[in-house]
């Protein structure tokens, strides 16, 4: 019968396994699959021309977001900026906010800034137009 490993030897092999796991997960995280967040699609889509303002806006990303550390601004033609209240209990890869109050006809931009789970911040603009009547 082989002798039981001593407690010290068991602790050592545990440390070796943890080290190997850390190396392995590090290799996974540095791969392209864990890239920072980029937009997959949005509503409204970039360049949309809408008859009326949508009740809410959504932007879907390729990666999980930290909603509490992400920002969404509605920017008008006069560069007026309104921070939109991001929904924090929704889909972890979606930025979603209601457009409270009337949005006048004209050119608008959604300016997003998100923190992805890989710790990287990305940002961008989604322009759209409200035609009105
Ligand atoms: Cu990244």
């Amino acid at each position: 019968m082989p002798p039981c490993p001593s407690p010290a030897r068991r602790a050592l092999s545990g440390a070796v396994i943890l080290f190997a796991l850390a190396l392995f997960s590090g290799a996974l995280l540095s791969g392209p699959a864990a890239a920072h967040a980029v937009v997959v699609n949005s509503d409204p889509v970039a360049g949309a021309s809408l008859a009326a303002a949508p009740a809410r806006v959504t932007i879907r990303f390729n990666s999980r977001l930290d909603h509490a550390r992400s920002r969404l601004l509605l920017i008008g033609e006069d560069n007026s900026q309104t921070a939109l209240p991001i929904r924090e209990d929704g889909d972890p890869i979606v930025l979603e906010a209601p457009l409270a109050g009337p949005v006048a006809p004209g050119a608008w931009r959604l300016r997003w800034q998100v923190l992805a789970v890989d710790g990287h911040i990305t940002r961008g603009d989604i322009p759209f137009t409200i035609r009105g009547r």
Side-chain angles (χ1 to χ4, degrees), residues 34-37 116 118 120:
H36 39 257
D118 75 347
H120 293 162

Side-chain angles (χ1 to χ4, degrees), residues 17-93:
I17 288 169
L18 281 180
F19 182 64
L21 280 176
L23 281 181
F24 181 64
S25 58
L28 283 181
L29 287 176
S30 62
H36 39 257
V38 297
V39 175
V40 173
N41 57 50
S42 64
D43 182 14
V45 298
S49 177
L50 308 171
R56 63 185 54 253
V57 296
T58 57
I59 309 175
R60 181 173 295 271
F61 292 85
N62 65 330
S63 158
R64 294 170 64 93
L65 314 170
D66 183 339
H67 286 120
R69 292 184 172 81
S70 298
R71 303 283 176 265
L72 191 54
L73 290 176
L74 181 65
I75 303 178
E77 287 176 2
D78 59 355
N79 283 319
S80 65
Q81 301 191 349
T82 306
L84 301 179
I86 293 170
R87 182 178 165 187
E88 296 199 9
D89 62 346
D91 190 325
I93 65 169

Side-chain angles (χ1 to χ4, degrees), residues 5 12 23 103 110 130:
L12 181 63
L23 281 181
V103 179
L110 285 170
I130 307 291

